[in-house]
Amino acid sequence: MAGSESPLKQIFSVLISITAFTFQGTSALVNPACPTAFWNFGDSLTDTGNIINAFPQCSECRAERRPYGDSFFGRPAKRFSDGRLVPDFFALAFQKPLLQPYIQAGAFDYRFGANFASGGATASNDSTLNPFFLAFQISQFGRLKQTVELEKSQIMCAQFLPFLPFDDSYSKGLYTIEIGGNDIINALTINNLTAAQITTQVIPEAMTNIANGIETLYNNGARQFLVSLLPSGGCSSSAVTLLGSSSPTDALGCVTAVNLLFQAYNAAINATIASARTQYHAASFTIFNYYAANQEILLNPTKYGFNPNLTRTTCCGAPGVGDLNYNPDALCGNQGSTKCSNPEEYVNWDGVHFTEAFYRVISKFVLNGEFTDTRFNYTANCNLSFNQFGPEVTFNDVYGNTCQVTFT
Ligand SMILES: *[C@@H]1O[C@H](CO)[C@@H](O)[C@H](O)[C@H]1NC(C)=O
Ligand SMILES: *[C@@H]1O[C@H](CO)[C@@H](O)[C@H](O)[C@H]1NC(C)=O
Ligand SMILES: *[C@@H]1O[C@H](CO)[C@@H](O)[C@H](O)[C@H]1NC(C)=O
Ligand SMILES: *[C@@H]1O[C@H](CO)[C@@H](O)[C@H](O)[C@H]1NC(C)=O
Ligand SMILES: *[C@@H]1O[C@H](CO)[C@@H](O)[C@H](O)[C@H]1NC(C)=O
Ligand SMILES: *[C@@H]1O[C@H](CO)[C@@H](O)[C@H](O)[C@H]1NC(C)=O
């Protein structure tokens, strides 16, 4: 075909395609900017209180008991870790109050956004463990925004104004989405689905909901998204302990079949975001490759302050099953479990969730633009400081003089 065209016509058509490509490139890729607020959707990796505020004293709410929260907070802080989670490190880096869970009876402060993440949540409409799946979280964001608009329209609501989102909190907010691990965990451990069912049913349903969620947020003014892939779930102490003896493991000791499912989910998120980029030209999308970041920490633990002998071992747990201190009959927070003396050296906190030390490294990666596809460096562009990230800093050091609704 090309041979039948004149050289000039060939060059011309090449130029047109380059121009078209360049034009499409610039219009499709909006750069991130410094956010003024944070709107987070996710599961227990980023839940700063929702599930426990909704279901206090529930049988699985071990995070209400010590030693959860011991690091930084000095007591349980409704978080599934020994201390701070990624949204907490973001708040410290941006020098903002801790991002408040939107379910918080008796108190509210939405000036800098809200956190809708909820422990156990899925992206698919699976309410087995938690009714607050992604579609629900997004609809709650819409309800919050409606209520705020109603309040702002009434002079008699003036007393609430100081605690409501600013008018530009939606358009200049950062919308972070971190969800999906429970889709796979529930499918494997509760719903007894096969890998084929997960890839053909669970993942596509989850992606429909992520795509719908992005559309709803976009229609509500969201313009900056940061979407996390899933970490390497096959490397968790629980996966290795429960499946590692019956299922092949890789060079890092991780359960290959589980990691493959997590990566299948990640490939699907990539495709979902690629599609969103072509649809919403006015928005920026950054993908954080949590999986690669997790692998990097496991491959080079010493570089990040972790003990290479302990990368797969649970800090808070009990012996008796396998050799990683993870025992389903004595989970962290339950009788028979104990906390390690040096959580800073561990990646894994309770068998499923990570330590504050791990989230600290992850937060720095994200804020520095590492393991992200846009490479946008929030630290440099927003003049962020990691001064309050250290393990020696306590909640009282930073927030001692603020209204404290973080605890039960
Ligand atoms: C789970 O599925 C497998 C194969 O599909 C089946 O053999 C097994 O009985 C199921 N287990 C439960 C508890 O339903
Ligand atoms: C999940 O539920 C929401 C409503 O809560 C609905 O809009 C959505 O279509 C459902 N997703 C799927 C994949 O069925
Ligand atoms: C997802 O996209 C990121 C960024 O482009 C890439 O580094 C990563 O390998 C992709 N992951 C999968 C599982 O496709
Ligand atoms: C790791 O274990 C080896 C063998 O027991 C020991 O020699 C080494 O000191 C340990 N490393 C750390 C950082 O504790
Ligand atoms: C991001 O910016 C910070 C502060 O300027 C700098 O220390 C860091 O090296 C940068 N990260 C990358 C990956 O360029
Ligand atoms: C950056 O932040 C530091 C302290 O965190 C402050 O001293 C400095 O003035 C800030 N620079 C800019 C350009 O805002």
Side-chain angles (χ1 to χ4, degrees), residues 305-318:
F306 299 101
N307 184 327
N309 297 337
L310 302 172
T311 50
R312 293 176 310 141
T313 306
T314 297
C315 164
C316 179

Side-chain angles (χ1 to χ4, degrees), residues 364-365 367-370 375-381 384 386:
K364 286 183 182 173
F365 282 156
L367 294 171
N368 281 338
E370 292 173 75
R375 315 284 304 168
F376 184 76
N377 191 332
Y378 287 96
T379 312
N381 287 288
L384 303 184
F386 299 157

Side-chain angles (χ1 to χ4, degrees), residues 28-48:
L29 284 182
V30 175
N31 282 328
C34 288
T36 58
F38 300 87
W39 306 98
N40 182 58
F41 304 87
D43 55 28
S44 55
L45 301 192
T46 55
D47 180 359
T48 55

Side-chain angles (χ1 to χ4, degrees), residues 271-295:
T272 301
I273 299 308
S275 163
R277 280 178 170 141
T278 67
Q279 286 179 66
Y280 311 114
H281 289 182
S284 74
F285 293 89
T286 295
I287 296 173
F288 171 62
N289 195 339
Y290 211 142
Y291 190 97
N294 191 350
Q295 294 282 297

Side-chain angles (χ1 to χ4, degrees), residues 143-195:
R143 301 296 294 190
L144 188 149
K145 193 175 173 232
Q146 277 176 355
T147 309
V148 167
E149 279 163 14
L150 199 60
E151 285 176 289
K152 287 195 173 182
S153 71
Q154 298 174 67
I155 197 143
M156 297 310 284
C157 294
Q159 73 265 36
F160 297 124
L161 278 180
F163 305 103
L164 299 180
F166 304 110
D167 287 338
D168 67 1
S169 293
Y170 306 109
S171 60
K172 293 188 176 158
L174 179 63
Y175 292 75
T176 48
I177 300 175
E178 166 284 307
I179 199 156
N182 292 319
D183 288 300
I184 296 173
I185 293 169
N186 288 1
L188 290 174
T189 62
I190 299 174
N191 301 330
N192 199 18
L193 300 181
T194 62

Side-chain angles (χ1 to χ4, degrees), residues 2 5-19:
E5 290 170 14
S6 74
L8 190 64
K9 203 173 167 194
Q10 280 179 42
I11 290 168
F12 187 62
S13 69
V14 167
L15 276 178
I16 286 180
S17 58
I18 289 173
T19 314

